[in-house]
Amino acid sequence: MSADHRPDPALLAEYAEGLLAGTPEGDEVAARLAADPAWSAAYAELTGALAAVRAGLAALGPVGPVPAEVADRLDAALATAGGPGKFAVRPRRGRRRVVAPVLAAAAASVAVLLGFSVVAALRTDPSAPTVASVPGTVLPDHLGETLITSTGLDYGTVAAQDALRSPAPPVGLSAAGTDSSPPPAPPPASPVPLALARLTSPAALEACLEAVRALVGATSPAPRSADFARFGGVPALVIVLTAEPAGRPQVLAVGPDCGAGGVDLISRTGGTP
Amino acid sequence: MRSGPLGDDPRDDRALLAAHVDGDPDAFGELVRRHRDRLWAVALRTLGDREDAADALQDACLSAYRAAGGFRGDSAVTTWLHRIVVNACLDRARRRQVRPAVPLETAQREPVAATESADTLTTRLVIRDALTRLPADQRAALVLVDLEGLPVAEVAAILGVAEGTVKSRCARGRARLAVLLGHLRDDDGNRPDASRVPPASRRAEGGT
């Protein structure tokens, strides 16, 4: 029990699950609930919240079958492992080999946050007017704690894509490396749109990420990822971060002037309800 | 949980494991193929990162492959396999604690998601993200109990702890999720079990 007698969510959670039944701690919580309105209010709030959590977990649904490339790795590893108890040769796919599907998955995650369908979001738009790219750009894998990617994907809305009138076949999830064919190596990072050239400088990128961080909240942690991509056909750096204390992920699409006195915000979604 | 034959191989899990120990070159592969979808789901949910999950699953399967001779049959083969996979995941999660998890497990098999509402998809993503931010032991318990639907007794066997400990970890994990998901706000800025460990939990954790 908390020394200051304020409601303790973890203790109340155990009480709500019946884990304290017949224990001195359970009796003490019961007494507090009967005597202290703060505890009874916290308990009512908690039980409602736990119901929402259970419903949310139930809504997650199944993961689905093991991806073909993972299954292939397992088969290959076991096929070369020798007999039980023997030292195994371990075929391991290097980290970079799976960057492409990881990036596609990350893009899909962001697409989901932005509130439109994954398939629509995973369209590429090679005919978009901003396809010119920065030649020979080599981006760092990370800047501080932030994963830096260049998927070239268009995170724009379905409506925005329709407006562009430049239909392109969906990349399809198999193109994200989930079919049985081996992914290409090295990973096909997309070129950085020319309009975003300024942000390929680490100093400019860092200034941009700091500006975004300041916009979201001074106490927010470093962005998790920054993707050189497009939003509704417009070159954009798409940034994912989680602001405390609510801890909900936010996605911001920013333009090339991000960090140069402002954020150059194109779109923002998610965050504290 | 499946423990019997699948596909063309009529042998059950124990027979396959015994055959592997006796030198059958195909038996362990068949065993893994039989259960890998479920083991993959556990690894992916526990680690929240596709590459880490793939590495953990591979580590675990190779460990099980080598350690098969030590299987004493005091639990189901699937329980034993789950234990090895979960331990591999927890080891990996501990090693990467300094690196924030990124929810990259937007399942490759989610074209079905395109038919769902954006709200539903957003909710799923946010929950997956919150799961990755739970302490590893709570996350593992919640994944096995709430997501994989395994009985608490089996989860206790998998994790090698008392059933009360499993329940405690689940209860605390759910309460922490409630805060992370914004269903519950801790006015003091404290997160459930972040710093305070009530007597009941200490008893459960130590009373295995």
Side-chain angles (χ1 to χ4, degrees):
Chain A
M1 188 85 50
S2 325
D4 56 8
H5 304 313
R6 283 177 292 187
D8 181 335
L11 193 62
L12 285 173
E14 292 196 333
Y15 182 83
E17 301 276 355
L19 302 182
L20 303 183
T23 68
E25 292 85 4
D27 294 342
E28 193 171 351
V29 171
R32 292 248 177 241
L33 290 175
D36 189 335
W39 277 72
S40 56
Y43 184 69
E45 186 183 15
L46 175 71
T47 52
L50 291 179
V53 167
R54 287 180 184 278
L57 290 173
L60 273 184
V63 165
V66 62
E69 66 173 11
V70 177
D72 290 346
R73 276 179 58 181
L74 278 178
D75 288 343
L78 294 175
T80 56
K86 295 178 183 172
F87 185 78
V89 177
R90 184 174 179 210
R92 175 188 286 273
R93 189 165 278 171
R95 187 164 190 95
R96 295 184 63 80
R97 293 286 301 276
V98 294
V99 165
V102 165
L103 292 186
S109 301
V110 175
V112 167
L113 266 177
L114 288 169
F116 50 90
S117 86
V118 170
V119 170
L122 284 177
R123 289 177 188 273
T124 56
D125 189 5
S127 61
T130 53
V131 73
S133 60
V134 181
T137 307
V138 178
L139 291 168
D141 289 335
H142 285 81
L143 189 65
E145 297 176 8
T146 306
L147 175 70
I148 306 299
T149 60
S150 173
T151 67
L153 293 173
D154 189 345
Y155 292 90
T157 64
V158 175
Q161 292 192 1
D162 288 342
L164 285 173
R165 301 283 181 198
S166 53
V171 168
L173 295 173
S174 63
T178 57
D179 60 7
S180 58
S181 60
S190 295
V192 173
L194 186 59
L196 298 179
R198 191 184 75 80
L199 293 175
T200 61
S201 148
L205 182 56
E206 193 166 6
C208 171
L209 297 180
E210 274 307 310
V212 167
R213 200 170 173 176
L215 175 71
V216 171
T219 60
S220 66
R224 297 180 189 177
S225 62
D227 186 15
F228 285 82
R230 284 191 289 273
F231 185 86
V234 177
L237 188 67
V238 179
I239 298 166
V240 179
L241 78 172
T242 301
E244 301 293 349
R248 292 200 168 197
Q250 293 198 45
V251 180
L252 297 92
V254 301
D257 291 328
C258 174
V263 173
D264 196 9
L265 187 64
I266 297 172
S267 171
R268 178 180 181 179
T269 189
T272 305
Chain B
M1 188 177 300
R2 167 179 284 280
S3 61
L6 176 71
D8 295 333
D9 197 318
R11 295 173 289 184
D12 68 15
D13 290 349
R14 287 175 184 267
L16 281 174
L17 201 58
H20 165 63
V21 173
D22 288 341
D24 181 336
D26 300 322
F28 196 82
E30 171 61 21
L31 184 65
V32 168
R33 278 189 289 278
R34 188 174 285 179
H35 299 294
R36 64 190 181 191
D37 285 350
R38 192 176 284 266
L39 297 173
W40 165 250
V42 169
L44 190 56
R45 293 290 200 215
T46 303
L47 288 168
D49 179 283
R50 178 188 167 103
E51 185 187 356
D52 280 349
D55 283 347
L57 184 58
Q58 181 172 320
D59 287 344
C61 286
L62 285 170
S63 294
Y65 183 101
R66 299 185 194 112
F71 176 71
R72 292 191 297 274
D74 50 3
S75 69
V77 172
T78 50
T79 300
W80 176 72
L81 285 173
H82 272 79
R83 183 184 306 146
I84 294 171
V85 169
V86 169
N87 285 338
C89 291
L90 294 182
D91 285 346
R92 191 164 289 271
R94 291 187 192 103
R95 286 202 299 269
R96 71 167 196 192
Q97 271 180 343
V98 293
R99 180 164 65 92
V102 180
L104 297 183
E105 63 125 326
T106 299
Q108 59 288 340
R109 301 278 181 175
E110 283 202 41
V112 64
T115 65
E116 297 179 295
S117 73
D119 285 348
T120 302
L121 290 170
T122 302
T123 299
R124 286 187 178 192
L125 181 70
V126 168
I127 291 173
R128 281 198 291 259
D129 174 68
L131 269 174
T132 66
R133 303 175 68 194
L134 290 180
D137 57 353
Q138 293 177 9
R139 186 164 68 238
L142 271 185
V143 165
L144 293 168
V145 173
D146 282 359
L147 298 182
E148 295 305 305
L150 300 183
V152 169
E154 183 171 357
V155 174
I158 290 170
L159 298 178
V161 299
E163 290 185 34
T165 302
V166 174
K167 293 176 181 175
S168 174
R169 289 178 182 176
C170 286
R172 289 164 164 271
R174 292 184 200 111
R176 191 175 177 111
L177 275 181
V179 174
L180 290 171
L181 294 171
H183 298 313
L184 191 65
R185 189 173 294 277
D186 187 340
D187 291 335
D188 296 332
N190 297 316
R191 298 291 169 81
D193 86 354
S195 57
R196 293 175 289 181
V197 181
S201 177
R202 285 198 295 269
R203 182 187 62 243
E205 294 284 343
T208 301

